[in-house]
Amino acid sequence: MSTPALDRRGFLRAAGLVGALPLLPALAGPAAASTAAAATSGTGLPAPAAWRLRPFALADVSLGPGVFADKRALMLDYARGYDVNRLLQVFRANAGLPTLGAVAPGGWEGLDGEANGNLRGHYTGHFLSMLSQAYASTGEQVFADNISTMIGALVQCRQALNRPPSVRSVPGRFGTAVESQRGSYEFAQLPTTVLGGAAELTFAAWVKPSHGAAWARIFDFGNDTTRYMYLAARNQNGLPRFAITTGGAGREQGINANVALPVGEWSHVALTLADTVATLYVNGVVAGRNTAMTLGPAQLGQLRNYWLGQSLYPDPVYAGAFDDVNLWSRALTDAEVAGLRTQPASAAPAGRGDLASYDLDETDGHVLHDSSGRAQHATWLRTWGGPSHLGFLAAYPETQFITLETMTASNYFVVWAPYYTAHKILRGLLDAYLATGDLRALDLAEGMCDWMYSRLSKLPAATLQRMWAIFSSGEYGGIVEAICDLHALTGKAEHVALAKLFDLDRLIDSCAGAQDILDGLHANQHIPILTGLVRLHDETGEDRYLAAAKGFWNMVVPARMYSIGGTSTGEFWRASGRIADTISDTNAETCCAHNMLKLSRMLFFHEQNPKYMEYYERALFNQVLGSKQDKADADKPLTTYFIGLTPGHVRDYTPKQGTTCCEGTGMESATKYQDSVFFGAADGSALYVNLFVASTLRWAAKGVTVEQSTTFPAEQGTRLTIGDDATFDLMVRVPSWVGPGFAVAVNGKALKVDAAPGTYLRIARSWRSGDVVTVSLPFTLRTGAALDDRSLQSLCYGPINLATRDASRSYLSFGLYRNAALSGDLLPSLTPVEGKPLHFTLDGREIAPFHEGTEDPSHVYFRRSEPTVVFGGRDSGVANPVRANGVSLLDELWSSAPYGSKTELIKKLETVTSSWVTDGLLSADDRSTILATARGAQFVP
C-alpha cells in the first residue's frame, strides 16, 4: 500500500436477526435469499483451465507442529478474540447506523488516522479474509460466527446507504435530541425561507460535540465561500467563532469566544445580531461581543444554503448532538439568553423562536419539524447525497471515487486509493463466501462489481489510464484478481469487462516487451496488478497479460530483491541491480513480499519453472515468517510494515498508527502458510511437493493422504508417508541451495537419483498405503553478495537467512574462508550454539535465523573481509590479492568447490596461484608460502 511522500518522506450475537434481513431487491437473485444460517460449508473457486497445476484448499492441508504452526497460533488467538464490531464501526457510522458503542480500531481504520482516515474499510476486508482462511483451516465455529456477524452488518449498511438517512435520536438536554454521528456525514438543511427577510437575528441551540475537530459548523448560512455567516464550534484555538462576510474569508467580521465548548458535554450557545452589535453567548453568559459590525442578514440577502452541521468550506462535518434549536427575528436581551440555559425556549421568557423552533424530539425519519408556526421544517441529509448505484459499499462516502475521476496528481488527504480499499472489501467478501457458502457475501461482492462497472464503464479510456497511473490515489491493489475470481463464479460478461477497465497499458506493454520501467515506481502499487493480469489471461486467453506478468517478475527477481526475499526501499523501486545503495530503515515493505508470493505461485500454475518456488521459499521462510512477532497480543496482529536492512535495525511490529496495509496482509499470510506446500497436476497424474513444512494433505480426488513429517528447517530433511493406495508421480523439489548428499529413499531403500539442484525430482510409482519417502536435504552455509557491491554480503544456511544480532549501527566485517570445508561449505567457520538449532557464533557475536520474530537489533548484511590467505584455520600471512573486478584469489579458488580431496584442492590452488603470479598480482615467494600453508592445513571434508 502506498502512502504519499507528503507524510512519510517529507512531501512524502444477533446473527439470526441479521441473517433474516432481506437483501436489496434490485440486487438479490433467487439464490441470494439464503443466509449464513443455511450455509453449512464453503464452495470451491473453479480452477482456470489454463492452469497446469491445481492448488489444494486450505481445508485439505493441515499444518503439523513447527514454526509455521506456532506463528499461526498467535494470529488465530488474535482473530478469535478481536471484537469485529470495532471493525464495523466505520461502516455503520458511514451508513448512519448505530455503532453499538464500539470504538474503531484507529490508525488507518478510523477517522483520526493518517490522511483523515481516507483508507478506512481496508483493514476490515483483510480481517474478513483472515477469518475466512482461519475457518477454512480449522473449522472453528467462532470464526464462522464472526464472519456471519460481519456479513450481516455489511448487508445492513448497504441497505441503509440506499435509503434517505434517518435521524438518530439520543438523550437530549430536554427530552431527546438528534445526533450527527461522526463519520456519518449527516446534517440538517433548513428551508431557504427560514430567515424570512429578517434584519436582526438570534440563533440559539444546545450542542454536545462528540469530537474536537476545528471549524466544524454549528450553522452555516450562505451561497459559497464568498458570501456567508457561520458559527463554528471551534476555531484554530479551540474556541467558538462567529463570522459573517460578503467578500470571503479575508473580509470576515466576527467574534471569537473566550470559553470553549467541552467535548461530550451539553453547552448552550447563542448569537445575537442587530445593527452594529453581535454578541456570542456560551451557557447564558456573554463570551464575546463585536460592536463594530457593518454586516447582518439584510446585507447577505437571500442565500441558497441554510445548514446545521455542514460547512460551505471543506471542513469536517459537525459530530455531536443538537437540541432545542431556535431562531428569532430580533436580538434577545442578555437576560432572555440567560433564561434559555435552564429551560427549553418554549417555556422560557423569550418563548419559541418566531422564525423557526426545532424541539428535535424526532426518533426516526428525515424531517425535523418546526414548531414556530411558520412550517420551516428541516430535512436530515447526507453531505454527499447517496450512492450512484445500489451495490455501493464502503466505510466512507462515494466522493473519493468521484473525485479521483478528475484528479491529475496525488493528494491522499483528499483521495487515498479508494479502489484499493474496494479491493480489500471485495476480496474479504469473496473469501467469506468461499469459506462459508454465505450467499449474502456473494451478493455483496456482485453488487460492488456492478456498482464499479456502472461508474468506470462511462469514463473515457484516457481518463482511466490517467487515474490508474496516479501514485497512491489511483492505486487499486489486486482488484482485477478478485473481479476475475468473481467472474469464475458468476460467468457474467460484465465482470470481465470491468476487470479490463483497470488495464494500465504502459505497464502491461512495457513488461510484456521486457522494457524495464520500474525505476521510481511504487512497488506495492504495481505488484498485485500483475497477479490480476495472470487471472485476466486465464479468463480471456489474451497472451499479453501473462507475458507482462512473467516479464515483470524477472525485473524484480533477483534484480530488486534483498536476501530475505523482500523488495522496495521507502516503498519504491530503484534501478535494476541497485541493492547496496538502497539499504535503509524502510526496506522490504511486507505487502510486497505477500504479493510477490501470490504472483510467483500463480505463475507456477502456468509454468513449472522451479525458480518461482525457489523465490517463494526464500520470501516465505525469511521475510514473511520474520515479519510476525513471536508474541501474543489481543489488540494487534504484531506484524511489520518495513523491515529495515541497515545495521542494527530493530523490527517494529506495531508500525505507524496501526491497522496498516502490511498488518492486513500480515494477518492473511499467517493464516494461509500451508497454501503452497503441495500442488496437484491438473489431470491428477502428479503431486508436487514444493515446500518442506510439517503438514498433512487430504487429496480427495485420488482418495489418498500424504503426511509430511519434519522439523525443517531445524531438520535437514523430510519424510512423506502415503496413507492409501494410489498411482501418481511424486514431484519433489530439489532446492538450488541443497548441498552434496541429497538423497531419496523409499521404504528405506535408496533411489538412484540424478537430480540437479534447482529442479524437481520425479518419482513415478504405484503407491501403497504406508509407503515412506525419506528426503535428505543437506544445508550448506553460503553467502550472497549484493549485485552492486560484492563486499556487501548476507549469510544463508540452506534456505534460512542468518542475521547477526548486534546493536552496532555500522556494518560488521567477517571473514568466512578460515575453515571452509572441501565441499565449499563455510559452516565450519561458525560455532554452533548448543541447544539452539540454527544459532551460531562468529567472532563472539550471535547469528540467528531471520525468521525469529524478536526485537533484537540485527544485521542482515555485513562487509566480507578476507585480508589474508588462510586455510583450515592456518593463516599464511600473505595478503589475499584482489583483481580489478573485485574477485579475490580465495574467491576464485573456492568458486570451484566442491573438492573431492585435499589433494584435488592443492592441485587447483597450484593452478590458480600460478595464473595470479603470471598476471603480476602475486609474487613467487608469496605463492610458495600459500601452498605450504595449504599443505599443512587440516580440512573439513
Side-chain angles (χ1 to χ4, degrees):
M1 179 55 212
S2 57
T3 306
L6 277 170
D7 175 67
R8 286 203 299 276
R9 285 174 296 281
F11 187 79
L12 228 108
R13 173 159 324 168
L17 174 63
V18 172
L21 291 171
L23 294 162
L24 287 172
L27 294 175
S34 174
T35 68
T40 57
S41 62
T43 184
L45 186 68
W51 289 4
R52 296 171 61 186
L53 299 181
R54 298 288 188 267
F56 292 100
L58 293 176
D60 295 334
V61 183
S62 57
L63 286 177
V67 61
F68 288 98
D70 292 344
K71 298 256 189 185
R72 185 183 70 171
L74 293 170
M75 195 63 77
L76 292 179
D77 282 345
Y78 166 70
R80 289 186 192 97
Y82 199 87
D83 181 4
V84 295
N85 287 300
R86 295 185 63 190
L87 299 162
L88 295 166
Q89 195 272 350
V90 290
F91 284 88
R92 286 171 168 150
N94 186 54
L97 295 175
T99 58
L100 310 183
V103 177
W108 288 12
E109 197 74 356
L111 287 161
D112 294 317
E114 199 165 317
N116 309 311
N118 279 345
L119 206 69
R120 61 191 182 277
H122 82 114
Y123 196 77
T124 302
H126 283 299
F127 204 94
L128 256 180
S129 292
M130 174 181 66
L131 289 177
S132 301
Q133 292 173 175
Y135 180 60
S137 295
T138 69
E140 290 184 35
Q141 189 61 35
V142 64
F143 300 127
D145 291 344
N146 283 337
I147 291 170
S148 182
T149 296
M150 295 181 74
I151 297 302
L154 293 175
V155 169
Q156 289 181 316
C157 290
R158 188 177 71 175
Q159 291 171 331
L161 286 168
N162 281 284
R163 57 179 182 251
S166 179
V167 296
R168 174 178 168 81
S169 180
V170 297
R173 182 63 178 82
F174 307 109
T176 60
V178 297
E179 180 184 48
S180 175
Q181 184 172 236
R182 188 163 184 248
S184 68
Y185 300 91
E186 293 172 350
F187 73 107
Q189 178 173 282
L190 311 186
T192 56
T193 54
V194 68
L195 295 188
E200 298 184 0
L201 175 67
T202 296
F203 174 93
W206 283 94
V207 295
K208 185 181 180 181
S210 61
H211 189 263
W215 300 115
R217 303 296 202 253
I218 294 173
F219 76 76
D220 202 337
F221 302 161
N223 289 340
D224 45 35
T225 56
T226 299
R227 194 176 197 87
Y228 56 79
M229 63 176 171
Y230 70 76
L231 175 58
R234 276 174 173 74
N235 62 12
Q236 73 274 18
N237 298 316
L239 299 171
R241 173 174 171 78
F242 166 73
I244 184 170
T245 183
T246 57
R251 298 177 62 185
E252 286 183 356
Q253 299 175 16
I255 310 167
N256 292 315
N258 57 17
V259 61
L261 306 180
V263 172
E265 297 181 15
W266 283 107
S267 299
H268 189 266
V269 293
L271 167 78
T272 63
L273 189 59
D275 297 325
T276 61
V277 180
T279 306
L280 189 55
Y281 301 82
V282 174
N283 291 325
V285 177
V286 175
R289 180 168 280 155
N290 185 335
T291 59
M293 302 292 293
T294 61
L295 297 175
Q299 285 70 39
L300 288 182
Q302 181 62 46
L303 302 171
R304 290 193 296 268
N305 305 299
Y306 296 84
W307 294 335
L308 300 181
Q310 165 74 325
S311 173
L312 289 159
Y313 284 88
D315 297 311
V317 179
Y318 170 80
F322 289 100
D323 197 4
D324 199 34
V325 176
N326 286 268
L327 292 89
W328 290 266
S329 60
R330 63 185 180 88
L332 300 188
T333 66
D334 290 353
E336 286 177 312
V337 172
L340 297 173
R341 183 178 181 185
T342 57
Q343 53 196 325
S346 60
R352 287 186 179 278
D354 63 320
L355 293 177
S357 179
Y358 304 100
D359 293 336
L360 302 180
D361 291 332
E362 291 80 5
T363 57
D364 58 20
H366 60 277
V367 177
L368 305 178
H369 294 90
D370 170 33
S371 298
S372 71
R374 295 184 63 235
Q376 299 297 299
H377 309 305
T379 307
W380 196 248
L381 299 171
R382 295 188 191 96
T383 61
W384 57 285
S388 64
H389 187 279
L390 292 172
F392 174 76
L393 179 64
Y396 46 67
E398 196 174 356
T399 48
Q400 282 207 59
F401 298 92
I402 297 168
T403 304
L404 175 62
E405 294 169 7
T406 57
M407 291 183 72
T408 58
S410 177
N411 183 349
Y412 84 147
F413 290 103
V414 177
V415 174
W416 189 3
Y419 285 98
Y420 172 95
T421 301
H423 163 244
K424 302 312 169 192
I425 299 168
L426 177 62
R427 182 76 264 169
L429 292 170
L430 285 172
D431 289 341
Y433 168 68
L434 293 170
T436 68
D438 190 335
L439 288 167
R440 298 173 302 168
L442 181 60
D443 185 69
L444 289 169
E446 285 196 68
M448 287 189 70
C449 287
D450 291 345
W451 155 69
M452 284 187 277
Y453 185 70
S454 75
R455 286 210 70 84
L456 297 177
S457 62
K458 297 181 178 70
L459 298 178
T463 299
L464 293 171
Q465 293 298 314
R466 173 178 48 75
M467 285 165 54
W468 308 144
I470 298 174
F471 162 57
S472 182
S473 298
E475 183 174 358
Y476 56 79
I479 201 166
V480 173
E481 177 193 7
I483 295 168
C484 288
D485 286 352
L486 180 63
H487 175 258
L489 294 169
T490 67
K492 288 178 64 173
E494 292 87 350
H495 293 156
V496 169
L498 171 61
K500 290 174 69 68
L501 292 174
F502 288 92
D503 280 3
L504 183 54
D505 289 338
R506 178 173 181 262
L507 179 70
I508 296 170
D509 294 341
S510 297
C511 291
Q515 179 186 355
D516 191 330
I517 62 166
L518 302 189
D519 185 11
L521 291 185
H522 184 271
N524 197 55
Q525 180 163 343
H526 294 86
I527 298 170
I529 293 177
L530 280 300
T531 303
L533 293 181
V534 179
R535 288 292 291 114
L536 197 49
H537 161 80
D538 298 336
E539 299 302 306
T540 66
E542 294 187 35
D543 290 336
R544 77 179 187 120
Y545 294 133
L546 183 60
K550 290 181 177 180
F552 170 87
W553 194 94
N554 290 329
M555 295 173 193
V556 177
V557 182
R560 293 177 170 91
M561 180 191 74
Y562 300 108
S563 63
I564 60 172
T567 187
S568 78
T569 182
E571 301 188 8
F572 288 80
W573 281 309
R574 300 300 178 233
S576 179
R578 287 182 59 185
I579 299 296
D581 69 349
T582 65
I583 298 295
S584 73
D585 284 328
T586 57
N587 290 127
E589 183 185 350
T590 304
C591 281
C592 294
H594 173 87
N595 285 311
M596 282 298 296
L597 290 187
K598 294 185 71 173
L599 176 59
S600 300
R601 180 178 191 260
M602 203 167 287
L603 288 173
F604 192 68
F605 293 152
H606 284 270
E607 177 190 7
Q608 288 68 64
N609 189 325
K611 70 180 183 180
Y612 296 126
M613 294 315 298
E614 288 282 331
Y615 171 80
Y616 197 102
E617 179 185 60
R618 178 192 289 262
L620 177 66
F621 274 81
N622 295 295
Q623 173 159 3
V624 173
L625 271 185
S627 69
K628 173 71 187 89
Q629 188 173 16
D630 299 332
K631 177 182 174 182
D633 193 289
D635 195 54
K636 296 180 174 63
L638 298 184
T639 60
T640 59
Y641 191 106
F642 294 121
I643 293 183
L645 299 176
T646 50
H649 180 82
V650 176
R651 276 170 254 177
D652 180 2
Y653 301 99
T654 56
K656 305 184 182 294
Q657 298 168 314
T659 60
T660 62
C661 54
C662 291
E663 288 162 286
T665 53
M667 294 189 299
E668 293 186 40
S669 290
T671 48
K672 67 175 187 70
Y673 287 138
Q674 75 270 37
D675 75 345
S676 298
V677 175
F678 303 99
F679 294 147
D683 60 4
S685 64
L687 177 68
Y688 281 70
V689 182
N690 305 306
L691 303 171
F692 309 112
V693 176
S695 53
T696 299
L697 167 67
R698 290 165 290 279
W699 193 1
K702 301 291 286 187
V704 67
T705 62
V706 179
E707 180 182 5
Q708 184 171 187
S709 304
T710 182
T711 60
F712 188 96
E715 174 186 1
Q716 299 182 20
T718 191
R719 292 165 300 286
L720 299 160
T721 302
I722 314 299
D724 305 273
D725 295 351
T727 299
F728 58 88
D729 294 349
L730 189 66
M731 305 292 292
V732 179
R733 189 170 65 87
V734 185
S736 60
W737 48 258
V738 77
F742 172 81
V744 178
V746 177
N747 299 329
K749 183 178 180 180
L751 298 184
K752 293 182 179 180
V753 297
D754 183 18
T759 64
Y760 275 77
L761 171 67
R762 182 187 302 272
I763 307 174
R765 187 179 177 94
S766 292
W767 301 96
R768 303 296 300 272
S769 180
D771 282 350
V772 177
V773 180
T774 304
V775 183
S776 178
L777 299 159
F779 290 9
T780 60
L781 183 72
R782 66 195 190 285
T783 62
L787 298 178
D788 52 345
D789 185 348
R790 288 182 55 87
S791 73
L792 192 67
Q793 300 187 3
S794 61
L795 281 178
C796 283
Y797 187 47
I800 304 303
N801 182 277
L802 297 178
T804 306
R805 292 180 177 170
D806 191 277
S808 171
R809 297 296 289 173
S810 300
Y811 286 114
L812 304 175
S813 293
F814 290 132
L816 295 167
Y817 288 138
R818 65 188 76 174
N819 284 307
L822 292 173
S823 64
D825 190 356
L826 301 174
L827 186 65
S829 295
L830 275 56
T831 302
V833 177
E834 186 175 355
K836 297 178 71 174
L838 303 175
H839 283 243
F840 305 90
T841 60
L842 178 62
D843 294 344
R845 294 181 173 91
E846 183 179 12
I847 296 176
F850 182 86
H851 67 241
E852 292 185 352
T854 73
E855 293 178 299
D856 294 296
S858 61
H859 294 238
V860 169
Y861 287 95
F862 62 93
R863 288 292 178 193
R864 184 70 177 274
S865 177
E866 305 285 354
T868 59
V869 178
V870 56
F871 300 106
R874 291 170 61 94
D875 192 336
S876 69
V878 176
N880 181 26
V882 179
R883 295 188 185 276
N885 62 4
V887 176
S888 73
L889 185 150
L890 287 177
D891 292 336
E892 185 174 333
L893 173 69
W894 288 110
S895 67
S896 298
Y899 296 104
S901 64
K902 178 179 176 179
T903 300
E904 184 179 338
L905 180 144
I906 297 296
K907 184 176 181 180
K908 179 64 176 180
L909 181 61
E910 290 172 344
T911 302
V912 169
T913 52
S914 177
S915 69
W916 283 70
V917 170
T918 300
D919 294 341
L921 299 172
L922 183 70
S923 70
D925 288 344
D926 285 346
R927 176 176 184 265
S928 298
T929 301
I930 289 171
L931 292 172
T933 302
R935 293 185 181 107
Q938 297 293 318
F939 291 92
V940 176

